[in-house]
């Protein structure tokens, strides 16, 4: 066990992940000039360990290796040791994950363990989890440390030669080109992406084939948008609907979804969505809330409504700080065991329920089947409520009431357990994703509490993480850290546009413009097009990526280009439209190569080819609600609607030209380059929207 009297250089940090390692016998540093200078001065290679607080295998490696005095002694003797929270420093994580894949030819992950040259921080060896002693084909970490230290000093020229090749490979990753003319942009990648997604689709359980199975929100959003796609045949649109619907309904029934408390876990370890890796991440849930809001508007299932309600309340109850910002994650572990907070024995469930409740609940949640998680049961919807009602010859209403009562009892009992750890730092980018999700859920359900929650989070970010016209990354215990990245600006601008559509509030449009201007000033490559992940005044690293492909979160280039394009249409601001177009042209080769990996950029392409429908409502604030409901009450992914009160002052660009006629609500509808005359009758407004399509 570590000596609690020994403290390393992490003790002054705010990241919960770094603080978990503050009393390790390893002499950890945060990524800092002090650590890099010491490595250079002492000519010692760097051990770079990247993880995050909700990461199960990060905890395992910490316990096995970083708490070991013997292993720590080897690390301290031969290396300078740097610990990084990947959520606070995604710039470092992106670079070294890519390097690990280049060096090993294997996928990355966390914990990430890299060995860096001290002069320029170029990695020469790496991997992910290493056990303390060799097993399962993995070398033991202690032996690995000794071998790498010896190799570093004996083969310096060989390492430097490899480093030169690695840096050259990084340069080749930038596939952008400025030699693309606008007429070369077309719908072919949209069609190809739909075909690629359909080919990898799991027709039985939804999602994409294989295990572990991830939600892939950007891909499912692409399918939802394809349901209304002008570029697809009727058959392809139906296939896209089937894919999205089966996936979202199966996820809602599965164990990846917390059937008692709401919220989704990170992924399922099986192909049927039943057993999750139990960590809950803010970024997953923000994206999934927005997806389920779209799905609810598209096909209106009770299952989608339940997910929206329960996950929205979970976000407010467990993830929103008293100050307003949303926390980052919930751990997979409690009391040192993965999933312990969530799983049950039959006896525990039976003791909490009435005699007539248990058989029904056992059938619904799979308790009548063999244990599915280490001798316990993790709850999932083993049968749909509709099928169970028919099987038991019960009315759907009685079944639903019985299930709801039983779930309340189980939830209340579970609340008495020792909870998983919570990473309570507040990240700007992930707050952007959840603000958008809560705004979308609030709009779909007409739930003002969800919209108010999103407003509180936005106000927190603006009040604490927006300084002198720039965003910061992270807030914890009154301290803010790190200059903002592309995702911070992109996701927050996207969230503002979603929140403005759910309700109008003075000052928010002006903030959106400020974000857009800051992003253009500090992240764009105006010569070649596209946006760097780091700002123009960021510290110099071994690579400055321009992320185009979606990962667990959408690519910042796609989200920012799409948001700029929408804002440009709303305000009539050609600079924003041109920046989006430059991004599309620069990324065109990459999009064409793997269309399905660029779903967020495909949104930008789709609305570049088929401009969005803009709906501007003006009139007395008390009369706007019913008009807004008409504009937002159906799934219309290429529609942007703002309901702006008559006396609003915070107007920019061409929005100032849309004025109400007297005291009547007035609707202005522009589709492409054609605008309707002012519409002052609701029925005429409905008819016009129906005639223009969605």
């Amino acid at each position: 066990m570590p000596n609690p009297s020994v403290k390393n250089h992490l003790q002054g940090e705010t990241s919960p992940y770094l603080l978990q390692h503050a009393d390790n016998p390893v002499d950890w540093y945060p990524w800092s000039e002090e650590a890099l200078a010491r490595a250079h001065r002492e000519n010692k290679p760097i051990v770079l360990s990247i993880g995050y607080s909700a990461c199960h295998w990060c905890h395992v490696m910490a316990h096995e290796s970083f708490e070991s005095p013997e292993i720590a002694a080897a690390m301290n003797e031969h290396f300078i040791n740097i610990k990084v929270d990947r959520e606070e420093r995604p710039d470092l994580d992106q670079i070294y994950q890519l390097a690990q894949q280049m060096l090993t030819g294997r996928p990355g992950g966390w914990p990430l363990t890299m060995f860096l040259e001290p002069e320029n921080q170029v990695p020469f060896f790496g991997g992910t989890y290493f056990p303390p002693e060799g097993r399962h084909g993995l070398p033991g970490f202690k032996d690995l440390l000794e071998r790498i230290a010896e190799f570093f000093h004996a083969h310096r020229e060989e390492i430097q030669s490899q480093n030169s090749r690695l840096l050259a490979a990084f340069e080749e990753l930038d596939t952008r080109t400025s030699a693309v003319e606008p007429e070369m942009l077309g719908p072919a990648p949209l069609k190809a992406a739909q075909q690629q997604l359909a080919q990898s689709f799991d027709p039985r359980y939804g999602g994409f084939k294989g295990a572990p199975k991830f939600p892939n929100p950007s891909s499912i959003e692409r399918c939802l948008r394809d349901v209304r796609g002008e570029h697809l045949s009727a058959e392809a649109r139906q296939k896209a609907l089937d894919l999205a619907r089966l996936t979202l309904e199966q996820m809602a029934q599965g164990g990846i979804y917390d059937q008692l408390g709401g919220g989704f876990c990170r992924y399922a370890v099986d192909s049927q969505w039943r057993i999750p890796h139990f960590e809950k991440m803010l970024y997953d849930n923000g994206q999934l809330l927005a997806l389920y809001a779209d799905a609810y508007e598209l096909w209106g299932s009770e299952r989608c409504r339940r997910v929206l309600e329960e996950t929205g309340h979970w976000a407010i109850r467990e993830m929103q700080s008293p100050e307003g910002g949303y926390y980052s994650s919930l751990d997979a572990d409690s009391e040192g065991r993965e999933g312990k907070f969530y799983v049950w024995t039959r006896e525990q469930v039976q003791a909490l329920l009435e005699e007539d409740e248990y058989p029904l609940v056992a059938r619904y949640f799979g308790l009548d089947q063999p244990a599915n998680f280490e001798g316990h049961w993790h709850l999932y919807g083993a049968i749909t409520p509709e099928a169970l009602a028919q099987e038991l010859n019960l009315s759907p209403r009685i079944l639903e009431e019985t299930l709801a009562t039983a779930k309340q009892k189980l939830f209340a009992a579970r609340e008495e357990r020792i909870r998983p750890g919570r990473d309570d730092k507040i990240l700007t980018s992930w707050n952007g994703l959840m603000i958008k999700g809560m705004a979308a859920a609030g709009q779909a359900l007409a739930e003002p509490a969800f919209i108010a929650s999103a407003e509180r989070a936005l106000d927190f970010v603006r009040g604490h993480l927006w300084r002198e016209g720039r965003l910061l990354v992270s807030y914890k215990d009154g301290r803010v850290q790190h200059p903002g990245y592309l995702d911070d600006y992109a996701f927050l601008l996207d969230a503002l546009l979603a929140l403005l559509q759910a309700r109008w509030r003075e000052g928010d449009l002006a903030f959106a413009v400020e974000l857009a201007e800051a992003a253009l000033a500090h992240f764009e490559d105006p010569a070649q097009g596209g946006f760097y992940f780091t700002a123009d005044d960021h510290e110099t690293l071994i690579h400055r990526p321009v992320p185009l492909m979606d990962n667990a979160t959408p690519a910042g280039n796609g989200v920012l280009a799409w948001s700029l394009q929408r804002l440009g249409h709303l305000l009539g601001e050609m600079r924003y439209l041109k920046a989006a177009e430059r991004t599309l042209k620069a990324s065109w080769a990459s999009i064409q190569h793997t269309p399905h990996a660029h779903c967020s950029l495909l949104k930008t392409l789709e609305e570049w080819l088929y401009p969005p429908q803009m709906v501007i409502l003006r009139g007395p604030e008390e009369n706007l609600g019913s008009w807004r409901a008409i504009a937002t009450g159906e799934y219309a992914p290429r529609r942007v609607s703002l309901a702006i009160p008559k006396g609003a002052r915070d107007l920019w660009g061409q929005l100032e030209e849309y004025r109400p006629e007297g005291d009547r609500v007035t609707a202005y509808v522009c589709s492409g380059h054609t605008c309707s005359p002012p519409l002052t009758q609701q029925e005429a407004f409905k008819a016009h929207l129906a005639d223009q399509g969605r």
Side-chain angles (χ1 to χ4, degrees):
M1 292 298 290
N3 182 347
S5 66
V6 176
K7 293 287 184 180
N8 51 43
H9 301 271
L10 302 180
Q11 57 188 301
E13 296 298 304
T14 59
S15 159
Y17 176 66
L18 298 187
L19 291 174
Q20 288 169 7
H21 297 268
D23 59 356
N24 288 167
V26 178
D27 187 20
W28 291 117
Y29 285 84
W31 183 276
S32 60
E33 283 296 326
E34 180 185 4
L36 301 181
R38 182 183 169 193
H40 185 269
R41 184 174 63 252
E42 298 183 11
N43 193 32
K44 286 184 176 181
I46 294 167
V47 172
L48 176 65
S49 176
I50 302 179
Y52 59 104
S53 71
C55 166
H56 173 71
W57 285 102
C58 299
H59 299 328
V60 173
M61 190 167 178
H63 177 66
E64 291 178 338
S65 295
F66 303 147
E67 294 177 4
S68 162
E70 187 179 13
I71 291 178
M75 294 177 70
N76 296 339
E77 179 182 357
H78 299 299
F79 301 91
I80 302 302
N81 306 293
I82 297 179
K83 176 64 74 173
V84 165
D85 182 339
R86 66 106 174 179
E87 296 168 359
E88 286 192 340
R89 294 301 305 263
D91 55 336
L92 297 171
D93 187 52
Q94 282 190 28
I95 290 170
Y96 291 107
Q97 291 284 353
L98 278 171
Q100 193 273 154
Q101 293 172 42
M102 291 177 181
L103 291 171
T104 68
R106 294 191 296 271
W110 301 278
L112 182 68
T113 309
M114 300 298 286
F115 295 86
L116 316 184
E117 220 276 351
E119 290 186 6
N120 53 15
Q121 297 86 55
V122 178
F124 61 91
F125 185 79
T128 52
Y129 163 79
F130 292 104
E133 308 292 340
R135 62 174 183 256
H136 306 306
L138 293 172
F141 194 53
K142 180 176 180 295
D143 292 340
L144 185 67
L145 292 168
E146 301 286 351
R147 285 159 48 196
I148 287 179
E150 181 181 340
F151 183 85
F152 172 78
H153 293 289
H155 299 271
R156 199 66 177 273
E157 289 187 8
E158 185 179 334
I159 287 172
Q160 289 172 347
S161 176
Q162 175 184 280
N163 286 354
S164 296
R165 295 193 298 272
L166 183 68
L167 291 175
F170 269 126
E171 291 300 316
E172 293 172 5
L173 288 174
D174 191 348
T175 60
R176 290 177 300 153
T177 175
S178 55
V180 174
E181 298 300 325
E183 56 267 20
M184 298 170 67
L185 304 179
L190 293 166
K191 298 175 182 178
Q194 197 275 333
Q195 293 168 357
Q196 290 167 341
L197 294 173
Q199 287 168 1
S200 59
F201 176 59
D202 180 345
R204 184 171 183 184
Y205 298 110
F208 302 100
K209 294 173 184 173
K213 186 173 277 188
F214 290 81
N216 291 307
S218 295
S219 299
I220 303 304
E221 184 191 23
R222 179 70 255 153
C223 295
L224 285 175
R225 292 180 69 89
D226 281 341
V227 176
R228 298 283 188 247
E230 294 183 23
H231 54 282
L232 295 176
S233 66
E235 180 183 359
R237 290 198 297 270
Q238 183 61 47
K239 186 176 292 186
L241 174 61
D242 293 342
L243 190 160
R245 184 166 187 162
L246 179 63
T247 300
L248 293 176
E249 297 279 349
Q250 287 288 313
M251 284 174 56
Q253 277 284 111
I256 191 175
Y257 181 67
D258 183 349
Q259 299 290 332
L260 300 183
F264 287 87
C265 297
R266 179 74 194 92
Y267 61 86
V269 301
D270 62 294
S271 64
Q272 302 175 44
W273 303 111
R274 291 182 178 178
I275 304 301
H277 182 47
F278 287 89
E279 64 191 24
K280 287 184 181 179
M281 311 301 294
L282 188 71
Y283 63 82
D284 287 316
N285 284 280
Q287 293 177 87
L288 289 168
L289 271 171
L291 267 186
Y292 276 92
D294 286 345
Y296 183 64
E297 290 181 339
L298 184 56
W299 64 78
S301 79
E302 170 62 23
R303 209 163 286 117
C304 290
R305 183 199 61 76
R306 177 173 62 85
V307 165
L308 288 174
E309 287 188 349
E310 293 175 351
T311 303
H313 287 299
W314 164 80
I316 295 171
R317 182 181 67 244
E318 298 189 30
M319 302 303 288
Q320 190 156 32
S321 74
E323 297 170 283
Y326 296 113
Y327 299 131
S328 294
S329 63
L330 298 179
D331 207 325
D333 300 0
S334 54
E335 300 181 75
R337 286 173 49 192
E338 184 182 3
K340 184 174 182 181
F341 179 77
Y342 297 99
V343 298
W344 299 82
T345 65
R346 285 172 173 158
E347 292 74 21
Q348 287 173 328
V349 176
Q350 200 161 11
L352 293 167
L353 302 180
E354 300 296 330
E355 190 174 334
D356 60 337
E357 291 174 331
Y358 178 75
L360 184 153
V361 169
R363 177 76 177 99
Y364 181 71
F365 282 132
L367 293 164
D368 59 344
Q369 299 175 31
N372 58 17
F373 187 78
E374 299 177 357
H376 291 70
W377 279 261
H378 176 59
L379 307 182
Y380 70 97
I383 183 172
T384 66
E386 299 83 1
L388 183 56
Q390 187 173 12
E391 181 182 293
L392 299 178
N393 197 26
L394 285 174
S395 76
R397 182 183 61 80
I398 291 176
L399 175 74
E400 192 62 40
E401 289 175 355
T402 305
L403 279 177
T405 300
K407 284 169 62 175
Q408 288 171 1
K409 294 176 182 177
L410 296 176
F411 175 76
R414 196 181 75 177
E415 286 291 281
E416 300 300 316
R417 297 177 178 178
I418 296 175
R419 305 186 64 81
R422 180 171 62 195
D423 187 325
D424 59 353
K425 68 177 179 295
I426 295 168
L427 297 169
T428 299
S429 61
W430 294 7
N431 268 255
L433 293 171
M434 182 53 85
I435 290 165
K436 178 180 180 178
M438 291 295 279
Q443 180 174 290
L445 297 174
E447 176 50 80
F450 290 179
I451 295 173
S453 171
E455 288 177 339
R456 291 198 303 276
L458 175 63
D459 291 344
F460 176 87
V461 171
R462 190 172 186 181
H464 293 84
L465 290 154
W466 176 250
R467 299 279 179 87
E468 299 178 353
R470 302 288 290 277
L471 285 171
L472 294 158
V473 171
S474 176
Y475 172 96
K476 175 78 166 61
D477 296 335
R479 286 173 56 190
V480 292
Q481 293 201 89
H482 310 298
Y485 305 109
L486 174 61
D487 289 357
D488 296 300
Y489 291 83
F491 297 170
L492 194 61
L493 178 56
D494 187 25
L496 271 162
L497 293 177
L499 195 49
L500 279 165
Q501 291 187 80
R503 90 300 171 258
W504 177 269
R505 191 173 64 158
E506 295 290 339
D508 285 354
L509 182 61
F511 188 28
V513 171
E514 289 181 280
L515 288 174
E517 293 294 338
L520 287 171
H522 297 290
F523 292 87
E524 191 189 16
D525 180 348
Q528 199 164 357
F531 297 88
Y532 292 105
F533 187 73
T534 53
D536 53 358
D537 53 358
H538 193 76
E539 76 174 288
T540 301
L541 302 172
I542 63 171
H543 179 52
R544 193 182 180 197
V546 180
L548 303 176
M549 295 188 190
D550 302 312
N551 288 297
T553 55
N557 267 273
V559 176
L560 185 57
W562 187 71
S563 298
L564 286 171
Q565 190 165 255
R566 287 207 150 185
L567 192 59
H569 281 298
L570 279 170
L571 305 183
E573 178 52 77
M574 292 304 298
R575 290 186 302 116
Y576 299 167
L577 297 173
K578 286 297 183 182
E581 183 179 289
R582 285 193 296 271
T583 304
L584 283 175
K585 291 193 294 183
S587 60
W588 188 239
S590 186
I591 291 173
Q592 287 183 301
H593 186 254
T594 50
H596 70 292
H598 296 78
C599 288
S600 57
L601 273 164
L602 291 182
K603 286 170 60 178
T604 313
L605 174 64
E606 182 181 30
E607 292 198 356
W608 186 87
L609 293 167
Y610 314 102
Q613 181 188 66
M614 317 302 292
V615 177
I616 309 299
L617 305 171
R618 296 298 312 275
E621 186 167 7
E622 61 273 14
N623 298 333
L624 284 172
S626 60
W627 288 72
R628 181 195 289 113
I630 294 169
T632 62
E634 61 180 339
Y635 180 62
R638 295 208 322 275
R639 179 181 299 161
V640 187
S641 60
L642 296 180
I644 306 174
K646 182 179 179 181
R649 298 181 302 277
D650 178 24
L651 299 179
W652 290 72
Q654 68 185 17
L655 285 180
E656 294 183 307
E657 301 172 13
Y658 300 112
R659 295 184 174 88
E661 295 196 353
D663 285 330
R664 295 183 296 179
V665 173
T666 307
Y668 298 86
V669 182
C670 296
S671 299
H673 302 292
T674 305
C675 293
S676 71
L679 302 169
T680 57
Q681 300 295 322
Q682 272 198 9
E683 291 305 315
F685 176 52
K686 287 181 186 177
H688 185 81
L689 292 183
D691 183 59
Q692 291 294 314
R694 291 167 286 187

